[in-house]
Amino acid sequence: IKSPKGEIVDTSRPVAFAWNHIISTGTAQTKAELQISADMQTWTALATVTGAETTYTAPANTLGSGTKYWRVRTYNSKGAAGAWSAATQFIVLAAPATPPVSIVSTEPRPEIRWQSDEQQAYQVEIDGVYASGTRFGTGKTWKAAFYLADGSYTVRVRVQNEYGFWSPWGTAALPITNVPGGAITLTESTESAVTLAWVD
């Protein structure tokens, strides 16, 4: 492996992988297979390169974030695979994925939920009504501490990971309908004064 090797890479840009094909005959490789892992236990295919090219460029925003490991093996002119290379570590800096947002309750004090595996902080906004600012923590539910009037709103959430990168905003439609309560029963009693009492 030539690179990335012990490097920090920004996956918001394409990431180039490079290696050497080592063979005593000096012939070129006919194919190469690349694998990637987050724990060096479970490996998944990253790419297959056909031909003599000893580089591969991963498109932007495809590697996720965190510590990664990769390895490669090449094939000789007879189509036989060599051994896998030693695994090499690199660190990927990337924004978290857009969190999917779901509506738990459409009551005047709505409740929402979202999903993210990388969250260290979050922000919640309701268009034109509310902005939470940055809240730190891994909780993934939020309930309004105020009442909304009837209408259609858009709620949006974004999360921040350990590297300080913010995800794109996840959004959901939020229809609010205030349901009237039951009729109020009013009674009165007279003694030295008049007392009115009602029950909701």
Side-chain angles (χ1 to χ4, degrees):
I1 285 177
K2 292 171 64 177
S3 66
K5 192 173 184 178
E7 301 168 29
I8 297 175
V9 300
D10 181 357
T11 195
S12 65
R13 302 174 181 177
V15 178
F17 293 80
W19 61 92
N20 289 320
H21 171 64
I22 300 171
I23 187 169
S24 59
T25 61
T27 55
Q29 74 177 35
T30 56
K31 185 170 77 168
E33 294 175 332
L34 286 69
Q35 291 185 335
I36 194 166
S37 174
D39 57 9
M40 289 210 309
Q41 302 295 320
T42 303
W43 293 91
T44 57
L46 175 62
T48 298
V49 176
T50 302
E53 186 64 45
T54 56
T55 62
Y56 165 75
T57 300
N61 302 312
T62 58
L63 297 178
S65 62
T67 300
K68 307 289 183 181
Y69 303 87
W70 78 285
R71 64 184 185 180
V72 61
R73 69 178 178 181
T74 58
Y75 287 69
N76 66 14
S77 59
K78 295 181 179 179
W84 287 104
S85 69
T88 297
Q89 180 191 77
F90 65 107
I91 296 173
V92 181
L93 301 183
T98 303
V101 180
S102 58
I103 306 300
V104 178
S105 168
T106 58
E107 295 176 353
R109 287 182 57 200
E111 184 176 357
I112 63 170
R113 180 182 296 124
W114 62 92
Q115 294 295 324
S116 174
D117 294 330
E118 304 175 63
Q119 175 182 314
Q120 297 296 315
Y122 66 92
Q123 293 178 342
V124 176
E125 293 186 358
I126 299 176
D127 53 353
V129 176
Y130 174 78
S132 70
T134 301
R135 303 284 182 89
F136 292 94
T138 57
K140 298 176 181 66
T141 60
W142 175 86
K143 184 175 179 65
F146 51 87
Y147 293 89
L148 291 172
D150 286 1
S152 296
Y153 302 86
T154 298
V155 61
R156 60 183 197 158
V157 178
R158 68 175 182 170
V159 299
Q160 187 182 53
N161 65 13
E162 60 183 308
Y163 304 111
F165 287 85
W166 285 101
S167 72
W169 289 97
T171 61
L174 177 61
I176 297 295
T177 303
N178 286 276
V179 179
I184 295 175
T185 301
L186 177 65
T187 60
E188 57 85 18
S189 63
T190 57
E191 293 177 358
S192 58
V194 175
T195 300
L196 297 179
W198 58 93
V199 177
D200 183 355

